[in-house]
Amino acid sequence: MRLSDKFRHLAATTQVRAQSLIAISIANLRGMRASRVIPFTGLFFAVCAVGAVGVAPLAPDAANLPVKTISQELQMPSLDEQISKIVLQQQHYVKEEKIQRGDSLASLLQRLGVDDVNAANFLKTDPVARSVLQARAGKSIRVKTTDEGTLEWLRVGLDGNDNGTKTLLVSRNDQNGFKATEVVEQLERRIEMRSGDIQSSLFVATDKALIPAPIADQIVKMFETSIDFRRLQRGDYFNVVYETFWLNGELVKTGRLLSGEFKNSGKLAQAVWFDEGAGEGGYYSFDGKSLKKAFLKSPLEFSRVSSGFSMRVHPISGKWKRHTGIDFAAVSGTPIRASADGTIEHAGPQGGYGNMVIVKHWNGYSTAYAHMSRFAPGSRKGTRVSQGQVIGYVGSTGWSTGPHLHYEFRVNNEPRDPNTISVQSAAALAAHELTRFRVVAADMAHRFDLLRPERNSAALVAAR
């Protein structure tokens, strides 16, 4: 008997048996109590399931399915025909160049591959389009041209303000002429983090760490009341967090130095910028104390002390004489800063001091700056000056044997050694500002942890 006949016979037998069982169950149910109905109902559904399994057909064997091969000849497109179509089509190119110092419009368009007399004339004569000639060196300029050099559009970023940057767009209009528009585009703000190690000087370290020059200057201003930058040494390091602003992947400008830490001679100084609102803000230590001191450590950003506050042989008279100030060696023209807020009491020549500025502060304090080569614009008697403001430039006027700054710190017009004067910091944050400040400080502390993983690892190993 074939396999298929056996399955048909088994299915028929199973079906007959199931029908017999159902008939018997129905007969018995008539003489039973209602409580016995449920078990027999379950039996009924079980027998039906057996019957369903018995009669389910089997899937055909895949090996017995018919196979049919279909072949079709496809015509390949002609390569020569495709190339000829591409040649006939107008090609477009987008090119980008940096504006260089001394660039003329002709040299700039030539580097960009623009060979379009009408476009060049438009850029020269249109009052809006002419601003392309005012774009500063280093700016990126992009153009789209045809393969013949015909200008389709031009795009260049111009200097803007804090809210965004202006972009000049020159494009063809419907009459095959040109139109120029200036649009203000929002800048993308990024937070950058950098680390540096002192090998020789701060600026060498910042250059090596790819830190922009404006941020390096802000590092000095951030720590000028707590670190003497004349005494940096190999092994000192710093970490900084600052903001930058970008447009279309191009750095437009740097922003504020948000936070920094500086390890100098084994001591760690940390600072964070805190915006107090209404345009006011300042740098604070991580515990909320202001870093602004009453007086700067030095009126010059970078120099060395050539003569301290002590007895010495006068370089001109050759006699022992008390030196009533501190001499800072520096090249002529180095900016001199007011060491504290005050009012200019004197600005002009004064005997052996040469060109001199005296600034009067509070509580009988005053500072004097001598041997200047020239005064800063606006430095005259009665003018209010703020801490860090440039009031003059290093020179060698008066009784001087070379360019340097003679700096005096006076109390009630008596010269005193500024290194022995205890200066107070500005007021700490108010209690209601501390909660918001702690959030800012915690974020910066976390960033510093990310900047020095190898130092943290070394500390953990030493602690075990």
Short mmCIF file of all heavy atoms in Angstrom, two decimals, residues 145-209:
data_model
loop_
_atom_site.label_atom_id
_atom_site.label_comp_id
_atom_site.label_asym_id
_atom_site.label_seq_id
_atom_site.Cartn_x
_atom_site.Cartn_y
_atom_site.Cartn_z
N THR A 145 30.51 77.85 -9.84
CA THR A 145 30.71 78.30 -11.21
C THR A 145 30.38 77.17 -12.18
O THR A 145 30.31 76.00 -11.80
CB THR A 145 32.16 78.75 -11.45
OG1 THR A 145 33.03 77.61 -11.29
CG2 THR A 145 32.57 79.84 -10.47
N THR A 146 30.20 77.55 -13.45
CA THR A 146 30.10 76.55 -14.51
C THR A 146 31.51 76.14 -14.91
O THR A 146 32.50 76.71 -14.43
CB THR A 146 29.35 77.12 -15.72
OG1 THR A 146 30.14 78.18 -16.28
CG2 THR A 146 27.99 77.66 -15.32
N ASP A 147 31.61 75.16 -15.82
CA ASP A 147 32.94 74.73 -16.25
C ASP A 147 33.64 75.80 -17.07
O ASP A 147 34.86 75.74 -17.30
CB ASP A 147 32.84 73.42 -17.04
CG ASP A 147 31.82 73.50 -18.17
OD1 ASP A 147 31.19 74.57 -18.30
OD2 ASP A 147 31.66 72.50 -18.90
N GLU A 148 32.90 76.82 -17.52
CA GLU A 148 33.50 77.93 -18.27
C GLU A 148 33.88 79.10 -17.35
O GLU A 148 34.38 80.12 -17.82
CB GLU A 148 32.54 78.41 -19.35
CG GLU A 148 32.25 77.35 -20.42
CD GLU A 148 31.23 77.83 -21.43
OE1 GLU A 148 30.63 78.91 -21.17
OE2 GLU A 148 31.04 77.15 -22.45
N GLY A 149 33.62 78.97 -16.04
CA GLY A 149 33.98 80.03 -15.09
C GLY A 149 32.89 81.04 -14.85
O GLY A 149 33.12 82.06 -14.17
N THR A 150 31.69 80.81 -15.36
CA THR A 150 30.57 81.73 -15.13
C THR A 150 30.10 81.60 -13.69
O THR A 150 29.85 80.49 -13.20
CB THR A 150 29.41 81.44 -16.09
OG1 THR A 150 29.89 81.52 -17.44
CG2 THR A 150 28.28 82.44 -15.89
N LEU A 151 29.96 82.72 -13.00
CA LEU A 151 29.58 82.71 -11.59
C LEU A 151 28.09 82.42 -11.43
O LEU A 151 27.25 83.06 -12.05
CB LEU A 151 29.92 84.05 -10.94
CG LEU A 151 29.59 84.18 -9.45
CD1 LEU A 151 30.46 83.24 -8.63
CD2 LEU A 151 29.75 85.62 -8.99
N GLU A 152 27.77 81.43 -10.59
CA GLU A 152 26.39 81.13 -10.23
C GLU A 152 26.03 81.82 -8.91
O GLU A 152 24.99 82.44 -8.78
CB GLU A 152 26.18 79.61 -10.12
CG GLU A 152 26.37 78.87 -11.43
CD GLU A 152 25.27 79.17 -12.41
OE1 GLU A 152 24.13 79.41 -11.98
OE2 GLU A 152 25.54 79.18 -13.63
N TRP A 153 26.87 81.63 -7.88
CA TRP A 153 26.67 82.35 -6.62
C TRP A 153 28.00 82.48 -5.87
O TRP A 153 28.95 81.75 -6.13
CB TRP A 153 25.61 81.70 -5.73
CG TRP A 153 25.78 80.23 -5.41
CD1 TRP A 153 25.09 79.20 -5.95
CD2 TRP A 153 26.69 79.64 -4.45
NE1 TRP A 153 25.50 78.00 -5.41
CE2 TRP A 153 26.47 78.25 -4.49
CE3 TRP A 153 27.65 80.14 -3.59
CZ2 TRP A 153 27.19 77.36 -3.69
CZ3 TRP A 153 28.37 79.25 -2.79
CH2 TRP A 153 28.14 77.88 -2.83
N LEU A 154 28.03 83.43 -4.95
CA LEU A 154 29.20 83.70 -4.11
C LEU A 154 28.72 83.87 -2.68
O LEU A 154 27.67 84.49 -2.44
CB LEU A 154 29.95 84.93 -4.60
CG LEU A 154 31.16 85.42 -3.81
CD1 LEU A 154 32.20 86.03 -4.74
CD2 LEU A 154 30.75 86.45 -2.74
N ARG A 155 29.50 83.38 -1.73
CA ARG A 155 29.11 83.45 -0.32
C ARG A 155 30.36 83.73 0.52
O ARG A 155 31.37 83.03 0.39
CB ARG A 155 28.46 82.14 0.11
CG ARG A 155 28.02 82.09 1.56
CD ARG A 155 27.60 80.67 1.93
NE ARG A 155 27.07 80.61 3.28
CZ ARG A 155 25.78 80.58 3.59
NH1 ARG A 155 24.89 80.58 2.63
NH2 ARG A 155 25.39 80.53 4.84
N VAL A 156 30.30 84.74 1.38
CA VAL A 156 31.43 85.07 2.25
C VAL A 156 30.89 85.63 3.56
O VAL A 156 29.91 86.38 3.58
CB VAL A 156 32.39 86.08 1.58
CG1 VAL A 156 31.70 87.39 1.28
CG2 VAL A 156 33.63 86.32 2.44
N GLY A 157 31.51 85.24 4.66
CA GLY A 157 31.12 85.73 5.97
C GLY A 157 31.76 87.07 6.28
O GLY A 157 32.93 87.29 6.00
N LEU A 158 30.98 87.96 6.86
CA LEU A 158 31.47 89.27 7.28
C LEU A 158 31.41 89.36 8.80
O LEU A 158 30.74 88.56 9.46
CB LEU A 158 30.61 90.38 6.65
CG LEU A 158 30.46 90.32 5.13
CD1 LEU A 158 29.47 91.38 4.67
CD2 LEU A 158 31.81 90.51 4.43
N ASP A 159 32.13 90.31 9.35
CA ASP A 159 32.11 90.48 10.81
C ASP A 159 30.73 90.92 11.25
O ASP A 159 30.10 91.77 10.62
CB ASP A 159 33.16 91.50 11.24
CG ASP A 159 34.58 90.97 11.02
OD1 ASP A 159 34.74 89.75 11.04
OD2 ASP A 159 35.50 91.79 10.83
N GLY A 160 30.28 90.33 12.37
CA GLY A 160 28.97 90.67 12.90
C GLY A 160 29.07 91.18 14.32
O GLY A 160 30.02 91.87 14.68
N ASN A 161 28.10 90.80 15.15
CA ASN A 161 28.10 91.21 16.55
C ASN A 161 27.88 89.98 17.42
O ASN A 161 27.99 88.84 16.95
CB ASN A 161 27.01 92.26 16.80
CG ASN A 161 25.65 91.81 16.25
OD1 ASN A 161 25.31 90.63 16.29
ND2 ASN A 161 24.90 92.75 15.71
N ASP A 162 27.57 90.21 18.70
CA ASP A 162 27.41 89.09 19.63
C ASP A 162 26.22 88.21 19.28
O ASP A 162 26.17 87.04 19.66
CB ASP A 162 27.26 89.61 21.06
CG ASP A 162 28.54 90.28 21.55
OD1 ASP A 162 29.61 89.98 20.98
OD2 ASP A 162 28.47 91.11 22.48
N ASN A 163 25.23 88.76 18.57
CA ASN A 163 24.03 87.99 18.25
C ASN A 163 24.19 87.10 17.03
O ASN A 163 23.40 86.20 16.81
CB ASN A 163 22.85 88.94 18.04
CG ASN A 163 22.52 89.73 19.29
OD1 ASN A 163 22.63 89.20 20.39
ND2 ASN A 163 22.14 90.98 19.13
N GLY A 164 25.17 87.35 16.20
CA GLY A 164 25.36 86.55 15.00
C GLY A 164 26.38 87.20 14.09
O GLY A 164 27.02 88.19 14.44
N THR A 165 26.53 86.65 12.91
CA THR A 165 27.48 87.17 11.94
C THR A 165 26.75 87.43 10.63
O THR A 165 25.78 86.75 10.30
CB THR A 165 28.63 86.18 11.72
OG1 THR A 165 29.60 86.76 10.83
CG2 THR A 165 28.15 84.88 11.14
N LYS A 166 27.23 88.42 9.89
CA LYS A 166 26.62 88.75 8.61
C LYS A 166 27.26 87.92 7.51
O LYS A 166 28.47 87.71 7.50
CB LYS A 166 26.78 90.24 8.32
CG LYS A 166 25.95 91.13 9.20
CD LYS A 166 25.97 92.57 8.72
CE LYS A 166 27.36 93.16 8.78
NZ LYS A 166 27.37 94.60 8.39
N THR A 167 26.44 87.46 6.58
CA THR A 167 26.92 86.71 5.43
C THR A 167 26.47 87.42 4.16
O THR A 167 25.29 87.77 4.02
CB THR A 167 26.37 85.27 5.44
OG1 THR A 167 26.85 84.59 6.61
CG2 THR A 167 26.84 84.50 4.21
N LEU A 168 27.41 87.65 3.25
CA LEU A 168 27.10 88.26 1.96
C LEU A 168 26.80 87.17 0.95
O LEU A 168 27.60 86.26 0.76
CB LEU A 168 28.28 89.11 1.48
CG LEU A 168 28.17 89.65 0.05
CD1 LEU A 168 27.02 90.64 -0.06
CD2 LEU A 168 29.48 90.29 -0.39
N LEU A 169 25.62 87.27 0.32
CA LEU A 169 25.21 86.32 -0.71
C LEU A 169 25.05 87.06 -2.03
O LEU A 169 24.27 88.02 -2.12
CB LEU A 169 23.89 85.64 -0.33
CG LEU A 169 23.89 84.79 0.93
CD1 LEU A 169 22.48 84.29 1.22
CD2 LEU A 169 24.83 83.61 0.79
N VAL A 170 25.78 86.64 -3.05
CA VAL A 170 25.65 87.19 -4.41
C VAL A 170 25.22 86.05 -5.32
O VAL A 170 25.89 85.01 -5.38
CB VAL A 170 26.98 87.79 -4.90
CG1 VAL A 170 26.83 88.29 -6.32
CG2 VAL A 170 27.43 88.92 -3.97
N SER A 171 24.10 86.22 -6.01
CA SER A 171 23.58 85.14 -6.86
C SER A 171 22.93 85.73 -8.11
O SER A 171 22.56 86.90 -8.15
CB SER A 171 22.58 84.28 -6.08
OG SER A 171 21.51 85.08 -5.61
N ARG A 172 22.76 84.88 -9.11
CA ARG A 172 22.09 85.31 -10.35
C ARG A 172 20.59 85.43 -10.11
O ARG A 172 19.99 84.62 -9.40
CB ARG A 172 22.35 84.30 -11.47
CG ARG A 172 23.77 84.38 -12.02
CD ARG A 172 23.92 83.59 -13.31
NE ARG A 172 25.26 83.78 -13.86
CZ ARG A 172 25.60 84.77 -14.66
NH1 ARG A 172 24.68 85.66 -15.03
NH2 ARG A 172 26.84 84.89 -15.11
N ASN A 173 19.98 86.46 -10.73
CA ASN A 173 18.54 86.62 -10.63
C ASN A 173 17.85 86.08 -11.90
O ASN A 173 18.50 85.51 -12.78
CB ASN A 173 18.17 88.09 -10.40
CG ASN A 173 18.75 89.00 -11.47
OD1 ASN A 173 18.97 88.58 -12.61
ND2 ASN A 173 18.97 90.26 -11.11
N ASP A 174 16.55 86.27 -11.97
CA ASP A 174 15.78 85.72 -13.09
C ASP A 174 16.12 86.39 -14.42
O ASP A 174 15.89 85.81 -15.49
CB ASP A 174 14.28 85.87 -12.81
CG ASP A 174 13.85 85.08 -11.60
OD1 ASP A 174 14.56 84.10 -11.26
OD2 ASP A 174 12.82 85.44 -10.99
N GLN A 175 16.65 87.61 -14.38
CA GLN A 175 17.00 88.32 -15.61
C GLN A 175 18.46 88.09 -16.02
O GLN A 175 19.02 88.83 -16.82
CB GLN A 175 16.76 89.83 -15.44
CG GLN A 175 15.31 90.23 -15.32
CD GLN A 175 14.72 89.89 -13.96
OE1 GLN A 175 15.40 89.98 -12.93
NE2 GLN A 175 13.45 89.49 -13.94
N ASN A 176 19.07 87.05 -15.46
CA ASN A 176 20.46 86.69 -15.75
C ASN A 176 21.42 87.77 -15.29
O ASN A 176 22.55 87.86 -15.77
CB ASN A 176 20.68 86.40 -17.24
CG ASN A 176 21.89 85.51 -17.47
OD1 ASN A 176 22.24 84.68 -16.62
ND2 ASN A 176 22.56 85.68 -18.59
N GLY A 177 20.96 88.61 -14.37
CA GLY A 177 21.85 89.57 -13.72
C GLY A 177 22.25 89.04 -12.35
O GLY A 177 22.25 87.82 -12.12
N PHE A 178 22.59 89.94 -11.44
CA PHE A 178 22.99 89.53 -10.10
C PHE A 178 22.24 90.32 -9.05
O PHE A 178 21.80 91.46 -9.29
CB PHE A 178 24.51 89.72 -9.92
CG PHE A 178 25.35 88.80 -10.75
CD1 PHE A 178 25.82 89.21 -12.00
CD2 PHE A 178 25.67 87.53 -10.31
CE1 PHE A 178 26.59 88.38 -12.77
CE2 PHE A 178 26.45 86.69 -11.08
CZ PHE A 178 26.91 87.11 -12.31
N LYS A 179 22.12 89.73 -7.89
CA LYS A 179 21.57 90.43 -6.72
C LYS A 179 22.44 90.10 -5.52
O LYS A 179 23.01 89.00 -5.41
CB LYS A 179 20.12 90.02 -6.47
CG LYS A 179 19.93 88.55 -6.13
CD LYS A 179 18.46 88.25 -5.85
CE LYS A 179 18.27 86.75 -5.52
NZ LYS A 179 16.87 86.43 -5.23
N ALA A 180 22.56 91.06 -4.62
CA ALA A 180 23.40 90.89 -3.43
C ALA A 180 22.57 91.18 -2.19
O ALA A 180 21.83 92.17 -2.14
CB ALA A 180 24.61 91.82 -3.48
N THR A 181 22.67 90.31 -1.21
CA THR A 181 21.93 90.48 0.05
C THR A 181 22.85 90.14 1.21
O THR A 181 23.77 89.32 1.08
CB THR A 181 20.69 89.57 0.11
OG1 THR A 181 21.10 88.21 -0.10
CG2 THR A 181 19.67 89.96 -0.94
N GLU A 182 22.58 90.78 2.35
CA GLU A 182 23.30 90.47 3.58
C GLU A 182 22.31 89.88 4.57
O GLU A 182 21.24 90.46 4.81
CB GLU A 182 23.95 91.72 4.18
CG GLU A 182 25.19 92.19 3.43
CD GLU A 182 25.86 93.36 4.14
OE1 GLU A 182 25.33 93.81 5.16
OE2 GLU A 182 26.91 93.81 3.66
N VAL A 183 22.63 88.75 5.11
CA VAL A 183 21.76 88.09 6.08
C VAL A 183 22.55 87.87 7.37
O VAL A 183 23.76 87.66 7.34
CB VAL A 183 21.23 86.74 5.55
CG1 VAL A 183 20.34 86.95 4.36
CG2 VAL A 183 22.37 85.80 5.20
N VAL A 184 21.86 87.95 8.50
CA VAL A 184 22.47 87.70 9.80
C VAL A 184 22.18 86.24 10.18
O VAL A 184 21.02 85.82 10.24
CB VAL A 184 21.92 88.65 10.88
CG1 VAL A 184 22.50 88.31 12.24
CG2 VAL A 184 22.23 90.09 10.51
N GLU A 185 23.23 85.48 10.39
CA GLU A 185 23.09 84.06 10.71
C GLU A 185 23.54 83.82 12.15
O GLU A 185 24.53 84.40 12.61
CB GLU A 185 23.92 83.21 9.75
CG GLU A 185 23.45 83.32 8.31
CD GLU A 185 24.22 82.39 7.39
OE1 GLU A 185 25.40 82.68 7.13
OE2 GLU A 185 23.62 81.41 6.93
N GLN A 186 22.81 82.96 12.83
CA GLN A 186 23.13 82.65 14.22
C GLN A 186 24.37 81.77 14.28
O GLN A 186 24.55 80.85 13.48
CB GLN A 186 21.96 81.93 14.89
CG GLN A 186 20.72 82.81 15.06
CD GLN A 186 21.00 84.02 15.93
OE1 GLN A 186 21.62 83.91 16.99
NE2 GLN A 186 20.54 85.18 15.49
N LEU A 187 25.22 82.06 15.23
CA LEU A 187 26.46 81.30 15.40
C LEU A 187 26.22 80.08 16.28
O LEU A 187 25.35 80.09 17.16
CB LEU A 187 27.54 82.18 16.03
CG LEU A 187 27.94 83.42 15.23
CD1 LEU A 187 28.97 84.23 16.02
CD2 LEU A 187 28.50 83.04 13.87
N GLU A 188 26.97 79.05 16.03
CA GLU A 188 26.93 77.84 16.86
C GLU A 188 27.95 77.98 17.98
O GLU A 188 29.14 78.17 17.74
CB GLU A 188 27.25 76.61 16.01
CG GLU A 188 27.34 75.32 16.82
CD GLU A 188 27.99 74.19 16.06
OE1 GLU A 188 28.34 74.38 14.88
OE2 GLU A 188 28.17 73.11 16.65
N ARG A 189 27.48 77.90 19.22
CA ARG A 189 28.37 78.03 20.38
C ARG A 189 28.89 76.65 20.79
O ARG A 189 28.11 75.71 20.96
CB ARG A 189 27.64 78.68 21.55
CG ARG A 189 28.47 78.85 22.81
CD ARG A 189 27.66 79.57 23.87
NE ARG A 189 28.37 79.76 25.12
CZ ARG A 189 28.28 78.96 26.17
NH1 ARG A 189 27.48 77.89 26.12
NH2 ARG A 189 28.96 79.21 27.27
N ARG A 190 30.20 76.55 20.94
CA ARG A 190 30.82 75.30 21.38
C ARG A 190 31.65 75.55 22.63
O ARG A 190 32.22 76.62 22.82
CB ARG A 190 31.72 74.72 20.29
CG ARG A 190 31.01 74.38 18.98
CD ARG A 190 31.99 73.77 17.99
NE ARG A 190 31.38 73.57 16.67
CZ ARG A 190 32.03 73.10 15.62
NH1 ARG A 190 33.32 72.77 15.73
NH2 ARG A 190 31.41 72.94 14.45
N ILE A 191 31.72 74.54 23.48
CA ILE A 191 32.55 74.59 24.68
C ILE A 191 33.79 73.74 24.41
O ILE A 191 33.67 72.55 24.10
CB ILE A 191 31.81 74.07 25.92
CG1 ILE A 191 30.53 74.87 26.15
CG2 ILE A 191 32.71 74.16 27.15
CD1 ILE A 191 30.76 76.33 26.40
N GLU A 192 34.97 74.34 24.50
CA GLU A 192 36.22 73.64 24.22
C GLU A 192 37.02 73.49 25.50
O GLU A 192 36.97 74.35 26.39
CB GLU A 192 37.04 74.42 23.18
CG GLU A 192 36.24 74.81 21.96
CD GLU A 192 36.90 74.37 20.66
OE1 GLU A 192 37.96 73.73 20.72
OE2 GLU A 192 36.33 74.68 19.60
N MET A 193 37.79 72.41 25.58
CA MET A 193 38.62 72.13 26.75
C MET A 193 40.04 71.82 26.27
O MET A 193 40.22 71.04 25.33
CB MET A 193 38.06 70.96 27.56
CG MET A 193 36.61 71.14 28.00
SD MET A 193 36.01 69.85 29.11
CE MET A 193 36.15 68.39 28.07
N ARG A 194 41.02 72.43 26.91
CA ARG A 194 42.41 72.24 26.52
C ARG A 194 43.30 72.13 27.76
O ARG A 194 42.98 72.67 28.82
CB ARG A 194 42.89 73.42 25.66
CG ARG A 194 42.21 73.52 24.31
CD ARG A 194 42.91 72.68 23.26
NE ARG A 194 42.40 72.98 21.94
CZ ARG A 194 41.55 72.22 21.28
NH1 ARG A 194 41.12 71.11 21.84
NH2 ARG A 194 41.15 72.55 20.07
N SER A 195 44.43 71.45 27.59
CA SER A 195 45.43 71.32 28.64
C SER A 195 46.78 71.74 28.10
O SER A 195 47.06 71.61 26.90
CB SER A 195 45.52 69.87 29.14
OG SER A 195 44.31 69.47 29.74
N GLY A 196 47.64 72.25 28.98
CA GLY A 196 48.98 72.65 28.58
C GLY A 196 49.98 72.43 29.69
O GLY A 196 49.63 72.49 30.88
N ASP A 197 51.22 72.16 29.32
CA ASP A 197 52.31 71.98 30.27
C ASP A 197 53.38 73.04 30.02
O ASP A 197 53.75 73.29 28.87
CB ASP A 197 52.93 70.59 30.14
CG ASP A 197 51.95 69.50 30.57
OD1 ASP A 197 51.73 69.35 31.77
OD2 ASP A 197 51.41 68.80 29.68
N ILE A 198 53.84 73.65 31.08
CA ILE A 198 54.85 74.69 30.96
C ILE A 198 56.22 74.05 30.75
O ILE A 198 56.68 73.27 31.59
CB ILE A 198 54.87 75.60 32.21
CG1 ILE A 198 53.49 76.24 32.41
CG2 ILE A 198 55.96 76.65 32.08
CD1 ILE A 198 53.06 77.16 31.30
N GLN A 199 56.85 74.39 29.64
CA GLN A 199 58.23 73.98 29.37
C GLN A 199 59.16 75.18 29.39
O GLN A 199 60.29 75.10 29.87
CB GLN A 199 58.32 73.27 28.01
CG GLN A 199 57.48 72.01 27.92
CD GLN A 199 57.93 70.93 28.89
OE1 GLN A 199 59.12 70.80 29.18
NE2 GLN A 199 56.97 70.16 29.40
N SER A 200 58.69 76.31 28.86
CA SER A 200 59.51 77.52 28.87
C SER A 200 58.68 78.74 29.27
O SER A 200 59.01 79.43 30.22
CB SER A 200 60.15 77.74 27.49
OG SER A 200 59.16 77.79 26.47
N SER A 201 57.57 78.99 28.55
CA SER A 201 56.73 80.14 28.86
C SER A 201 55.27 79.77 28.66
O SER A 201 54.94 78.74 28.06
CB SER A 201 57.09 81.33 27.97
OG SER A 201 56.70 81.09 26.63
N LEU A 202 54.39 80.64 29.15
CA LEU A 202 52.96 80.39 29.03
C LEU A 202 52.53 80.38 27.58
O LEU A 202 51.79 79.49 27.13
CB LEU A 202 52.17 81.43 29.81
CG LEU A 202 50.64 81.37 29.65
CD1 LEU A 202 50.10 80.06 30.20
CD2 LEU A 202 49.98 82.55 30.34
N PHE A 203 52.98 81.37 26.80
CA PHE A 203 52.51 81.49 25.42
C PHE A 203 53.04 80.37 24.53
O PHE A 203 52.38 79.96 23.58
CB PHE A 203 52.87 82.86 24.85
CG PHE A 203 52.00 83.96 25.39
CD1 PHE A 203 52.55 85.14 25.83
CD2 PHE A 203 50.63 83.81 25.46
CE1 PHE A 203 51.75 86.17 26.32
CE2 PHE A 203 49.82 84.81 25.96
CZ PHE A 203 50.38 85.99 26.39
N VAL A 204 54.23 79.86 24.83
CA VAL A 204 54.72 78.69 24.09
C VAL A 204 53.82 77.49 24.39
O VAL A 204 53.47 76.71 23.49
CB VAL A 204 56.18 78.37 24.47
CG1 VAL A 204 56.61 77.03 23.90
CG2 VAL A 204 57.10 79.47 23.95
N ALA A 205 53.40 77.34 25.65
CA ALA A 205 52.54 76.23 26.04
C ALA A 205 51.15 76.35 25.42
O ALA A 205 50.57 75.36 24.97
CB ALA A 205 52.42 76.15 27.55
N THR A 206 50.60 77.58 25.37
CA THR A 206 49.27 77.75 24.78
C THR A 206 49.31 77.52 23.28
O THR A 206 48.36 76.96 22.70
CB THR A 206 48.71 79.14 25.08
OG1 THR A 206 49.66 80.14 24.67
CG2 THR A 206 48.44 79.29 26.57
N ASP A 207 50.38 77.94 22.61
CA ASP A 207 50.51 77.68 21.17
C ASP A 207 50.57 76.18 20.90
O ASP A 207 49.94 75.68 19.96
CB ASP A 207 51.76 78.36 20.62
CG ASP A 207 51.60 79.87 20.50
OD1 ASP A 207 50.43 80.33 20.58
OD2 ASP A 207 52.61 80.57 20.37
N LYS A 208 51.33 75.46 21.70
CA LYS A 208 51.46 74.02 21.52
C LYS A 208 50.13 73.31 21.77
O LYS A 208 49.83 72.30 21.12
CB LYS A 208 52.54 73.47 22.46
CG LYS A 208 52.89 72.02 22.23
CD LYS A 208 54.03 71.59 23.13
CE LYS A 208 54.38 70.12 22.89
NZ LYS A 208 55.51 69.67 23.77
N ALA A 209 49.33 73.84 22.69
CA ALA A 209 48.03 73.24 23.00
C ALA A 209 46.93 73.72 22.06
O ALA A 209 45.76 73.37 22.26
CB ALA A 209 47.65 73.56 24.44
#
